[in-house]
Amino acid sequence: MSYRDSRQAIVEKNKGLRDKQTTLEEAVTMVQDGDHVAVGGLQYTRTPVGALWEIIRQKRQNLTIYKPLMSFEGDWLFVSGVMGKAVTSWFSGGVTWGVSKIMRTFAENDPSTFDELSLLGLSLRLKAGAMGIPCIPTKSMLGSDLEKTAGLKRFTCPYSGEELLLVPAVNPDVAIIHSQVADKYGNGQIFGPPCLDIESAKAANKVILTTEQIVDNEHIRDTPNSTNIPFFCVDAVVELPFGCYPHECYGRYEPAYEKLGEYGQGLLEATDKIGFVKEYLEKYFYQPENFEEYLSLFGVKSLLETTRLGRIWKP
Amino acid sequence: MSSYTPAELCVIMGSRALKDGQIVFAGAGLPLLSAIHAQKMHAPGLAILFEVGGVAPRIGSLPRSTNEARSVRRSMATPATVDMMLYLQRGFVDVGFLGGAQIDRHGNINSSVVGPLEKPKVRLPGSGGANDIASSANRVFIISYHEKRRFVEKVDFVTSPGFLDGGQAREETGLLGGGVERVITNLGILEFDSQTRSMTLVAVHPGVTQQEVHEKTGFELPVSDALEETTPPSEEELTALRGLDPERKYLKEGDF
């Protein structure tokens, strides 16, 4: 969508104060085949896994996914056919499980499935989108091969004469974000690092906000400094406890490393990598009746253990 | 003399290179261990930054990535990722630590692709924040295992700029960060000639010969006239380090 069309989408949409609570199933219908979708969080932190889980179940096709760092969820999105292109700075299983073999399969067969930018580069694409400008200058990536492969244009500052690169804005069709707390109007409070979620919420034409906990609007009014996503950015609110599991939600639960490891190690050892992911998707994504049933496949023990480890306030 | 692994040796050399009061961008693994070790040994006022949004965290259990609550534990602030990366561009970051699949004689790093991008032999994970650190940190330290396939004449892809083609190329392209100051390996320490900006061997670790360094480097490596031998890790340094990684996730034997 063009820069002007994207602004017009915000001008025209119903931004009013109204109850936006809905089901996960209903919220995700906002995402259409071929859409550009920004996904919140960073690597293992505050990834909106629940919303991705539902997108995969609803079999959306050929999405372009913007995510600052991609982990196993990128494997699931590729193999399910949901993701046609990953726009990211980094795509890997992680420190312990090495480079994603699924990413390699897709990106080596068809390099156009993986667009790489530096982390600041991608951050600034969303920042420019959030600012309502079509591009933004930076010193990052000058002289590197990313400058060429990302097709970035050089620009000489008319005031200082400095050499810069211009990064194009991105205004995704939809952003999906998970917060610790929100009210029914969509006032979202993210605790700990907000990653790029505040930029994404402003840059996207529509926002789906899943949250650990719906709170009363009076609570939001008591703590306005903590509201980092105001209601007028948000189009749907879904209460979804453990909505990042097996990733983490800051202050609530740690990543379920043991469960991530079952996937990561399993993938490393599997001879048929794609087949392994398909089986995983069948068991954990397509078979469960609902998100609770998905969580119960991992077991209460893991939920309690990650919760205990995730309480990080003690000195 | 006590024994130590190549990883332990590199972490301690990295720690010694850090100064009190510095603002340090450190990735998970060995760079983070160097930074925490320096805080314990000689730099209590050193502050660590993480791209996820951690300012001066008090690290407890070692994080397995730079992007999780463990790496922002007891932080003094948790800014957005875009702000964390812009601190680099603004000049706040004294030291950035990097690793990489391939490093060339001018300190350029490849973490994107082996072979041509349009027909990759191996697609690698990509830059993450590495390009931004290499572009704009006031100085960059690289920690790497020393082997021929990593130290190459020219990287297949410049993910993170060192001195590009050498000489004044880095400055001419408009970059403001200082570029790579030091490369720390399990064999020795390398720095860059002030004119040619080519990697030069300035120190070897105890028991390492120049011959071995040349054999494990994929390009002709000049040797400094003032070649030194590093002081081996002390018992005190090793004890402090091993306390940081009791499960030996990162400090194990062999390459890294």
Side-chain angles (χ1 to χ4, degrees):
Chain A
M1 189 182 279
S2 79
Y3 163 67
R4 287 187 176 230
D5 288 347
S6 168
R7 188 175 191 284
Q8 199 56 30
I10 299 295
V11 170
E12 285 168 13
K13 85 172 178 180
N14 178 358
K15 299 170 283 290
L17 196 66
R18 64 183 198 284
D19 187 347
K20 294 166 190 163
Q21 289 179 96
T22 183
T23 61
L24 185 58
E25 209 175 341
E26 184 57 35
V28 158
T29 60
M30 238 179 246
V31 179
Q32 303 291 311
D33 287 353
D35 271 358
H36 289 231
V37 177
V39 177
L42 207 69
Q43 194 173 355
Y44 302 133
T45 207
R46 240 173 7 73
T47 313
V49 171
L52 293 175
W53 176 84
E54 184 59 29
I55 290 174
I56 290 171
R57 285 158 64 85
Q58 292 192 17
K59 298 193 161 66
R60 291 293 173 284
Q61 295 293 299
N62 201 27
L63 304 182
T64 297
I65 302 281
Y66 298 77
K67 192 162 189 302
L69 303 170
M70 244 178 223
S71 177
F72 294 141
E73 74 285 354
D75 293 0
W76 307 333
L77 290 162
F78 259 148
V79 174
S80 64
V82 168
M83 180 164 70
K85 186 195 279 286
V87 183
T88 186
S89 75
W90 186 88
F91 191 153
S92 183
V95 178
T96 324
W97 305 290
V99 183
S100 164
K101 290 289 187 302
I102 300 299
M103 175 280 281
R104 282 193 55 189
T105 304
F106 278 77
E108 289 170 15
N109 283 339
D110 179 2
S112 75
T113 58
F114 180 179
D115 276 2
E116 181 185 345
L117 278 166
S118 76
L119 183 55
L120 180 58
L122 182 53
S123 303
L124 288 175
R125 288 200 68 187
L126 288 162
K127 180 85 181 175
M131 291 168 72
I133 52 174
C135 63
I136 195 167
T138 182
K139 282 282 185 186
S140 255
M141 296 178 287
L142 275 168
S144 71
D145 283 332
L146 290 173
E147 175 184 347
K148 297 174 210 121
T149 55
L152 303 176
K153 305 271 191 256
R154 289 254 176 171
F155 163 78
T156 307
C157 171
Y159 299 107
S160 62
E162 284 285 344
E163 196 72 358
L164 294 154
L165 288 177
L166 282 179
V167 179
V170 61
N171 291 107
D173 297 292
V174 186
I176 53 176
I177 291 168
H178 187 83
S179 72
Q180 284 85 350
V181 161
D183 70 4
K184 64 182 179 185
Y185 304 119
N187 289 299
Q189 297 189 336
I190 291 170
F191 299 100
C195 308
L196 292 172
D197 294 13
I198 298 169
E199 284 74 22
S200 298
K202 288 184 274 194
N205 297 337
K206 282 172 275 179
V207 174
I208 298 170
L209 180 66
T210 62
T211 185
E212 289 293 311
Q213 189 181 0
I214 298 269
V215 296
D216 193 273
N217 176 253
E218 293 305 319
H219 173 83
I220 299 289
R221 291 179 189 273
D222 286 341
T223 54
N225 274 2
S226 300
T227 307
N228 26 33
I229 300 176
F231 69 91
F232 54 75
C233 293
V234 174
D235 298 273
V237 183
V238 180
E239 188 176 56
L240 196 66
F242 288 98
C244 301
Y245 186 94
H247 288 202
E248 75 171 15
C249 184
Y250 180 91
R252 300 276 177 142
Y253 44 91
E254 267 209 340
Y257 278 114
E258 194 194 321
K259 303 298 177 185
L260 283 171
E262 281 169 21
Y263 172 85
Q265 199 57 37
L267 182 62
L268 276 181
E269 286 162 16
T271 38
D272 173 11
K273 309 286 184 197
I274 301 282
F276 174 85
V277 180
K278 283 188 169 157
E279 272 175 41
Y280 186 88
L281 288 171
E282 191 56 39
K283 179 177 174 189
Y284 290 100
F285 287 68
Y286 301 127
Q287 286 297 331
E289 276 292 308
N290 50 45
F291 196 65
E292 265 177 48
E293 211 170 275
Y294 159 81
L295 290 175
S296 68
L297 288 174
F298 297 99
V300 171
K301 193 175 163 223
S302 173
L303 300 185
L304 291 178
E305 178 70 3
T306 54
T307 301
R308 189 180 64 75
L309 288 169
R311 291 176 186 160
I312 53 172
W313 292 286
K314 60 183 182 294
Chain B
M1 195 173 68
S2 57
S3 71
Y4 39 82
T5 68
E8 287 173 333
L9 177 62
C10 286
V11 170
I12 286 170
M13 294 297 156
S15 165
R16 288 180 189 171
L18 295 169
K19 295 193 178 79
D20 199 17
Q22 283 179 326
I23 308 296
V24 179
F25 231 89
L30 304 192
L32 175 61
L33 283 168
S34 282
I36 313 174
H37 189 261
Q39 287 175 328
K40 294 233 182 292
M41 297 298 298
H42 62 270
L46 177 151
I48 299 168
L49 304 190
F50 280 122
E51 62 198 16
V52 70
V55 173
R58 198 181 273 160
I59 302 292
S61 305
L62 281 182
R64 277 157 276 203
S65 70
T66 43
N67 308 298
E68 53 179 270
R70 284 185 187 192
S71 47
V72 288
R73 181 181 174 274
R74 304 290 299 157
S75 282
M76 299 190 196
T78 53
T81 299
V82 64
D83 295 321
M84 295 306 297
M85 306 316 289
L86 287 172
Y87 294 141
L88 282 154
Q89 189 166 278
R90 182 73 181 101
F92 282 113
V93 179
D94 298 307
V95 182
F97 259 112
L98 296 175
Q102 284 184 334
I103 302 156
D104 70 21
R105 71 158 68 238
H106 295 301
N108 303 302
I109 299 176
N110 175 15
S111 50
S112 297
V113 63
V114 179
L117 184 67
E118 55 282 2
K119 203 159 178 21
K121 215 158 95 192
V122 183
R123 188 57 168 96
L124 299 167
S127 162
N131 171 285
D132 310 309
I133 292 170
S135 293
S136 298
N138 302 345
R139 62 183 67 69
V140 170
F141 296 153
I142 296 175
I143 290 189
S144 176
Y145 194 76
H146 207 130
E147 53 190 344
K148 210 166 193 155
R149 66 186 182 95
R150 287 203 214 194
F151 285 79
V152 298
E153 173 70 35
K154 200 163 173 40
V155 290
D156 293 345
F157 188 95
V158 179
T159 309
S160 304
F163 295 103
L164 299 172
D165 295 327
Q168 291 300 301
R170 182 182 167 91
E171 289 78 2
E172 281 163 9
T173 201
L175 289 168
L176 293 183
V180 186
E181 185 172 288
R182 186 174 294 185
V183 182
I184 296 162
T185 81
N186 52 305
L187 300 183
I189 293 174
L190 307 111
E191 290 180 356
F192 292 83
D193 181 89
S194 60
Q195 295 304 309
T196 63
R197 306 289 205 177
S198 285
M199 213 185 278
T200 306
L201 183 66
V202 298
V204 288
H205 300 314
V208 176
T209 62
Q210 282 187 51
Q211 179 66 20
E212 188 181 358
V213 180
H214 288 302
E215 279 167 8
K216 290 181 176 163
T217 304
F219 52 87
E220 203 169 313
L221 181 68
V223 177
S224 163
D225 296 337
L227 184 73
E228 291 180 20
E229 186 177 282
T230 59
T231 310
S234 70
E235 278 302 328
E236 194 195 353
E237 285 174 313
L238 285 167
T239 307
L241 178 58
R242 286 166 186 166
L244 301 175
D245 182 16
E247 293 168 41
R248 299 183 80 71
K249 266 189 222 127
Y250 301 104
L251 299 176
K252 53 185 185 287
E253 272 298 339
D255 66 351
F256 49 80

